[in-house]
Amino acid sequence: MTETTTVRPLRADAVTGWDFEADVVIAGYGVAGAAAAIEAARAGAEVLVLERTGGWGGAAAMSGGFIYLGGGTPLQKALGFEDTPENMEKFLLAALGPGADRAKIHDYCQGSVEHYHWLVAQGVPFKEEFWGEPGWEPPADQGLMYSGGENSAPLNTIATPAPRGHLPQMQNKVTGEKGGGYMLMKPLTDTAESLGVRAEYDIRIQRLIVDDTDRVVGVAAKRYGKPVHIRARRGVVLATGSFAYNQQMVETYAPRLINRPVASIEEHDGIGIRVAQALGAQLAHMDAAEVAFFADPQMVARGILVNGLGQRYIPEDTYGGRIGQATLNDQDNKAYLIIDEQALEAANATTSTVHFFRQQPPASVGETVAEVEDEIGLPAGTLVSTVELYNRHAAEGVDPLLGKKPEWVKPIGTPLAAFDLCNHTGGFTLGGLKTDLDSRVLHVSGEPIPGLYAAGRCTSGICAGGYASGASLGDGSFYGRRAGVAAARQD
Amino acid sequence: MTETTTVRPLRADAVTGWDFEADVVIAGYGVAGAAAAIEAARAGAEVLVLERTGGWGGAAAMSGGFIYLGGGTPLQKALGFEDTPENMEKFLLAALGPGADRAKIHDYCQGSVEHYHWLVAQGVPFKEEFWGEPGWEPPADQGLMYSGGENSAPLNTIATPAPRGHLPQMQNKVTGEKGGGYMLMKPLTDTAESLGVRAEYDIRIQRLIVDDTDRVVGVAAKRYGKPVHIRARRGVVLATGSFAYNQQMVETYAPRLINRPVASIEEHDGIGIRVAQALGAQLAHMDAAEVAFFADPQMVARGILVNGLGQRYIPEDTYGGRIGQATLNDQDNKAYLIIDEQALEAANATTSTVHFFRQQPPASVGETVAEVEDEIGLPAGTLVSTVELYNRHAAEGVDPLLGKKPEWVKPIGTPLAAFDLCNHTGGFTLGGLKTDLDSRVLHVSGEPIPGLYAAGRCTSGICAGGYASGASLGDGSFYGRRAGVAAARQD
């Protein structure tokens, strides 16, 4: 209780002294905070970033580094892919779930090429090389990849497929020292520093400070357990990340993620959301979650995935995040990969960066489908029936059930194996504060809360129920910039 | 904007005069409001109910009237069903979704028998007759029914099946004049009136009034477009219903319900949630929804339901609300009922109260499964494969895939028909304000908001992702009582 009761706003007249002061105060030095810092500084503000950990980076620096960009970026063009903002928008509206913020998606697609140029201008490197195989990440330092199921059924029939997963060129891929996320965050924070942005570390925000008109004028925080008060002359930007590691919030809002938060850092405790809620902030899509599927995409595409009833449910060659969401949300988190010896060998012969997904032994190996079905405990006859139907069509190279691309459709022969991929999911939350296109935090009344801005995963961005890799670093950096500009201008 | 900006709290010192005044002011005269009114009056408070429409009743009076009660109620016992609070709790924890409020479910189950006695003491009549057929409602004035899939797979293996759908004995079933909901609300509001509870109609609440310590001391409202101010000396109870008819909130929180709100009244605009959010109230399970499935349960149980891939996905003899949720949430709202001539005739020969669900003509009638499969546009071979597997097991009277009870398992013969039940769902929202066991509205800090109480569908009650018919009138009346007591005592 003590921990949480502190989220109530503090009145400025109760503050006896300010420990730090700046025009724009930013909480969190991940991608949204860094982008906000750069743009606030460029707009003429004195900027202070408060970071809870001992260094910059946040979840972004630990991530693969995908940034979802399109509409005809120079990288897309150089690699021969056609795309338009309209085509990208069509895709995102279909992929990101009903109820997604249409205005934000439109805005994001219209601004995507400009945002690419901005990232390059800050020093983010993109290598002109495309990686076209199924996978979570490219095997080396390739710069472009499909990262949302754009070229798979059913989305490939809704919008013209174009890869939009833009990856900062990593260094030392093998040792992993400078991955895509690092190569995004390093230039951004270098740029911020060159613009005079200050950062104070080991500061955990506790509550917002408001004046007698309810305008946000600062942040109350703790440093090594002691209270510190930071005055923001123009505005506060919240960029504190998701609530994936706040167990109570996950139970209350996104219970499917109970006990399976991943792909973010433990600092993601929802504090930015809670301090704003205490001011009457509106929320959005609190149940939404990115869901990774822990399985080698090369294997998955070459086999068939069946649920606990032995039925196929998703084209196996689509984006792993779509498989993860479908498995966790709609299939009771039950999945088995059925793959024959030949396909397994072909998968193992491919280059992949995610070898650890292959270490699990099969749950069953058999000479017949019936044998495997029985051994993994599927209802009698279900898997046999599923494989029979799949093989009948696969013999003609088609998949009328789910539209897997012909290149991945081959009859399942013998011997074959089943891998138990039940509960092989985990993810991070996508819901959060409702913000407008200027990243102003909206009150439940619909009006902006004066002096308060937010971006990144403490906000509900472009995603509602769906996801594409790169959407978080994408909308975090895009609306982080907006937050910095708006806060500096006191919009 | 004008409509919504009014939700910000109003300071009491800005109120120039009070139009009404009472110890406890209750917003909404549905089941939660009526229960709160009764208990607040009994606790010695002067009570005023503000109702937006021209009369008492709310969504409750328009509903079928199910109240979810168990643990060994006199009605259960009289009809030969064994149940315990622990058994009921086991069921609800399994049925109502991960993340459900465990403390509330425990509390509700422990208090359920007492709550039955309370309802009877207020004059709510329950007829000692059980209705055991699949259906949304009994055909006549029976008092007890399965209403949550208690006796169907997989829940029948998790807790000992017991019917818990308690129905107030209706009158004039044929004309529908005095349905179960009416027969619940009439005695409750009569009781309230006899206790001196006053009600003012045509009053729409706009915002809460707080004193300078942020304690809730009243309600600002409108009557015929003119502002009225109501002072609450002890507390305000919000009992304003769901947000199913607030399109913006549905898009933001529960987008699967876009364009399909039903089973509640259009007054359900989420106002109680929004005025409390403006004070920093915590929310819970905002994506959760009850989902009705518009199909005759007698037909459904006798046929098989398949999704858009021609696969079965749920035991067809379970509670329709489970079918609705599974269809809308997990099957892209696609469902086809496959039923043979003989089963259709058997269904049509049964007594059912929901004849209008039968008026739709079949999408296809054929002599073979392949013919029907083709005509309704399922992927080639899928329905044939599904029926073949189903029939193979059905010949032995079993359903190893989904566990439909043997009495409903019969091979599907010819001729057969398919009914297109895609988009045959609709429902109301279950998410809302987070309250404690005394129905105090909790601030995001975890502390109660002084002077503010809530119950019914503007709160998150016992349901998270799942549902059982009667859960809303059940927790609405149960926690409505608690709200009345707590508000009267200023707990």
Side-chain angles (χ1 to χ4, degrees):
Chain A
M1 200 68 139
T2 318
E3 179 72 19
T4 52
T5 53
T6 55
V7 301
R8 285 178 191 275
L10 179 66
R11 291 273 154 198
D13 53 23
V15 176
T16 52
W18 299 104
D19 300 282
F20 299 98
E21 197 168 323
D23 293 328
V24 173
V25 173
I26 298 168
Y29 213 175
V31 70
I38 291 169
E39 293 294 74
R42 289 227 175 89
E46 184 195 347
V47 180
L48 173 64
V49 184
L50 310 175
E51 167 57 37
R52 172 178 168 160
T53 70
W56 54 261
M62 321 275 280
S63 75
F66 277 105
I67 308 158
Y68 202 85
L69 298 167
T73 67
L75 190 65
Q76 286 181 311
K77 284 184 181 166
L79 294 169
F81 294 100
E82 281 189 26
D83 197 10
T84 63
E86 292 69 30
N87 186 51
M88 179 182 180
E89 184 172 343
K90 211 185 287 179
F91 173 80
L92 289 179
L93 285 174
L96 298 185
D101 189 327
R102 301 180 78 89
K104 222 173 234 182
I105 287 178
H106 177 76
D107 179 49
Y108 183 79
C109 293
Q110 290 292 324
S112 190
V113 169
E114 187 278 336
H115 192 50
Y116 174 87
H117 286 295
W118 182 87
L119 289 163
V120 170
Q122 311 317 305
V124 180
F126 296 104
K127 185 179 176 188
E128 280 186 14
E129 190 178 338
F130 172 67
W131 177 251
E133 293 289 313
W136 285 103
E137 291 177 13
D141 61 352
Q142 290 86 351
L144 190 65
M145 190 173 157
Y146 284 102
S147 70
E150 297 83 354
N151 60 337
S152 303
L155 295 167
N156 57 359
T157 62
I158 292 170
T160 306
R164 302 193 186 93
H166 287 61
L167 273 156
Q169 186 175 3
M170 50 190 82
Q171 294 179 13
N172 302 326
K173 174 74 180 181
V174 175
T175 58
E177 267 170 31
K178 295 180 179 177
Y182 177 90
M183 293 305 291
L184 168 67
M185 289 306 298
K186 180 75 167 88
L188 292 187
T189 52
D190 281 351
T191 302
E193 196 182 339
S194 75
L195 292 166
V197 169
R198 283 180 301 148
E200 292 289 340
Y201 296 99
D202 302 304
I203 292 193
R204 299 167 65 129
I205 73 161
Q206 308 284 311
R207 56 209 295 205
L208 295 168
I209 300 173
V210 295
D211 69 14
D212 52 16
T213 69
D214 278 346
R215 182 184 176 84
V216 177
V217 295
V219 173
K222 282 199 173 164
R223 191 176 218 176
Y224 310 125
K226 288 189 182 140
V228 286
H229 297 89
I230 303 98
R231 186 176 164 211
R233 290 183 217 104
R234 300 190 196 172
V236 168
V237 177
L238 298 170
T240 51
S242 84
F243 62 90
Y245 284 87
N246 183 314
Q247 196 180 330
Q248 200 184 336
M249 287 179 76
V250 167
E251 283 177 6
T252 301
Y253 288 118
R256 285 186 296 244
L257 277 192
I258 291 172
N259 296 330
R260 49 180 71 95
V262 293
S264 57
I265 54 178
E266 293 192 10
E267 285 72 21
H268 280 205
D269 64 355
I271 184 66
I273 297 171
R274 288 181 285 130
V275 296
Q277 269 188 283
L279 290 182
Q282 182 62 299
L283 307 176
H285 300 300
M286 292 297 281
D287 61 310
E290 179 268 0
V291 183
F293 186 64
F294 305 121
D296 178 2
Q298 288 285 342
M299 279 169 59
V300 172
R302 286 174 166 80
I304 61 169
L305 275 179
V306 300
N307 61 17
L309 304 177
Q311 303 162 329
R312 288 178 71 219
Y313 59 95
I314 192 150
E316 294 83 359
D317 61 345
T318 192
Y319 165 54
R322 290 182 67 82
I323 298 177
Q325 289 186 327
T327 305
L328 177 62
N329 299 349
D330 304 337
Q331 307 298 338
D332 202 21
N333 218 6
K334 296 209 172 71
Y336 300 89
L337 175 67
I338 311 300
I339 186 167
D340 65 26
E341 193 174 36
Q342 201 183 344
L344 195 56
E345 279 169 11
N348 285 329
T350 60
T351 308
S352 172
T353 59
V354 283
H355 288 290
F356 79 93
F357 288 147
R358 296 184 181 171
Q359 292 171 354
Q360 184 189 341
S364 169
V365 175
E367 287 300 323
T368 67
V369 178
E371 196 183 325
V372 169
E373 170 188 283
D374 183 59
E375 193 167 21
I376 60 177
L378 291 176
T382 52
L383 186 63
V384 170
S385 173
T386 294
V387 171
E388 194 279 325
L389 183 64
Y390 178 77
N391 282 357
R392 201 190 319 158
H393 293 301
E396 297 167 17
V398 294
D399 175 25
L401 194 67
L402 290 158
K404 182 154 74 162
K405 289 185 290 294
E407 63 190 285
W408 301 109
V409 176
K410 292 202 178 69
I412 293 170
T414 54
L416 76 164
F419 290 82
D420 183 343
L421 302 177
C422 298
N423 296 308
H424 277 227
T425 54
F428 56 87
T429 56
L430 298 172
L433 300 171
K434 188 160 183 170
T435 53
D436 68 10
L437 301 185
D438 289 317
S439 300
R440 299 183 296 183
V441 175
L442 297 176
H443 187 267
V444 64
S445 68
E447 297 166 330
I449 295 174
L452 192 62
Y453 310 83
R457 271 302 61 83
C458 68
T459 68
S460 176
I462 57 173
C463 304
Y467 197 67
S469 277
S472 285
L473 299 185
D475 71 23
S477 54
F478 191 90
Y479 288 104
R481 293 173 60 194
R482 294 281 178 85
V485 171
R489 286 188 196 160
Q490 298 186 272
D491 280 347
Chain B
M1 201 66 141
T2 318
E3 178 72 19
T4 52
T5 53
T6 55
V7 300
R8 285 179 191 274
L10 179 67
R11 292 274 155 199
D13 53 24
V15 177
T16 51
W18 300 103
D19 301 281
F20 299 98
E21 197 168 323
D23 294 327
V24 173
V25 173
I26 298 167
Y29 214 174
V31 70
I38 290 168
E39 293 294 74
R42 287 226 176 90
E46 186 195 344
V47 180
L48 173 64
V49 183
L50 310 175
E51 166 58 37
R52 170 178 168 163
T53 68
W56 53 262
M62 322 275 281
S63 76
F66 276 106
I67 308 158
Y68 202 86
L69 298 166
T73 65
L75 189 66
Q76 286 182 311
K77 284 184 179 165
L79 294 170
F81 294 100
E82 281 189 27
D83 197 11
T84 64
E86 292 69 31
N87 185 53
M88 179 182 178
E89 185 172 341
K90 209 184 289 178
F91 172 80
L92 289 179
L93 285 174
L96 298 186
D101 188 327
R102 301 181 77 90
K104 223 173 235 183
I105 287 178
H106 177 76
D107 179 49
Y108 183 78
C109 293
Q110 289 292 323
S112 190
V113 170
E114 188 278 335
H115 192 51
Y116 174 87
H117 286 294
W118 182 88
L119 288 164
V120 171
Q122 310 319 303
V124 180
F126 295 104
K127 185 179 177 189
E128 280 187 12
E129 191 179 337
F130 172 67
W131 176 252
E133 293 289 313
W136 285 104
E137 292 178 11
D141 61 353
Q142 291 88 350
L144 190 66
M145 191 173 157
Y146 284 103
S147 70
E150 298 83 354
N151 61 336
S152 303
L155 296 167
N156 57 0
T157 63
I158 292 170
T160 306
R164 301 192 186 93
H166 287 60
L167 273 156
Q169 186 174 4
M170 50 189 83
Q171 294 179 13
N172 302 327
K173 174 76 180 179
V174 175
T175 58
E177 267 171 31
K178 294 180 178 177
Y182 177 90
M183 293 304 292
L184 168 67
M185 290 305 299
K186 181 73 168 89
L188 292 187
T189 51
D190 280 351
T191 302
E193 195 182 340
S194 74
L195 292 165
V197 169
R198 283 180 301 148
E200 292 287 341
Y201 297 97
D202 301 305
I203 291 192
R204 299 168 66 132
I205 73 161
Q206 307 284 312
R207 55 208 297 206
L208 295 168
I209 299 173
V210 295
D211 68 13
D212 51 17
T213 69
D214 277 345
R215 181 184 178 82
V216 176
V217 296
V219 173
K222 281 197 175 166
R223 191 175 219 177
Y224 310 124
K226 287 189 184 143
V228 286
H229 297 89
I230 303 99
R231 185 173 165 214
R233 290 182 216 104
R234 300 190 195 172
V236 168
V237 178
L238 298 170
T240 50
S242 83
F243 63 91
Y245 284 87
N246 183 313
Q247 196 180 329
Q248 198 184 339
M249 288 180 76
V250 167
E251 283 177 4
T252 301
Y253 288 118
R256 285 186 296 246
L257 278 192
I258 292 172
N259 294 331
R260 50 178 70 94
V262 291
S264 57
I265 54 178
E266 293 191 12
E267 285 72 21
H268 281 206
D269 64 355
I271 184 67
I273 297 171
R274 288 181 284 132
V275 295
Q277 269 188 283
L279 290 181
Q282 183 61 299
L283 306 176
H285 299 301
M286 293 298 280
D287 60 310
E290 179 267 0
V291 183
F293 186 64
F294 305 122
D296 178 3
Q298 289 284 344
M299 279 169 59
V300 172
R302 285 174 165 81
I304 61 169
L305 275 180
V306 299
N307 62 17
L309 304 177
Q311 303 162 330
R312 289 178 71 219
Y313 59 94
I314 191 150
E316 293 83 359
D317 61 344
T318 192
Y319 165 54
R322 290 181 67 81
I323 298 176
Q325 288 185 328
T327 304
L328 177 61
N329 299 348
D330 304 337
Q331 307 298 338
D332 202 21
N333 219 6
K334 295 208 173 70
Y336 299 90
L337 175 68
I338 311 300
I339 187 167
D340 65 26
E341 192 174 37
Q342 201 184 343
L344 194 56
E345 281 170 9
N348 283 330
T350 60
T351 307
S352 172
T353 60
V354 282
H355 288 291
F356 78 94
F357 288 149
R358 296 184 181 170
Q359 292 171 353
Q360 184 187 341
S364 168
V365 176
E367 287 301 322
T368 68
V369 178
E371 195 183 325
V372 169
E373 171 189 282
D374 183 60
E375 193 166 20
I376 61 178
L378 291 175
T382 53
L383 185 62
V384 170
S385 174
T386 294
V387 171
E388 193 280 323
L389 184 64
Y390 179 78
N391 281 357
R392 201 190 319 157
H393 293 300
E396 298 168 15
V398 294
D399 175 25
L401 193 68
L402 291 158
K404 181 154 74 162
K405 291 186 289 296
E407 63 192 284
W408 302 108
V409 175
K410 292 201 178 67
I412 293 170
T414 53
L416 76 165
F419 289 82
D420 182 343
L421 303 176
C422 297
N423 296 307
H424 277 224
T425 54
F428 56 87
T429 57
L430 299 171
L433 300 171
K434 188 160 183 170
T435 53
D436 68 9
L437 302 185
D438 289 317
S439 301
R440 299 182 296 184
V441 175
L442 297 176
H443 187 267
V444 65
S445 67
E447 298 166 330
I449 295 174
L452 191 62
Y453 310 84
R457 271 302 61 82
C458 68
T459 69
S460 175
I462 57 172
C463 305
Y467 197 68
S469 278
S472 286
L473 299 185
D475 71 22
S477 53
F478 191 90
Y479 288 104
R481 292 173 61 195
R482 294 281 178 84
V485 171
R489 286 188 196 159
Q490 298 187 271
D491 280 346

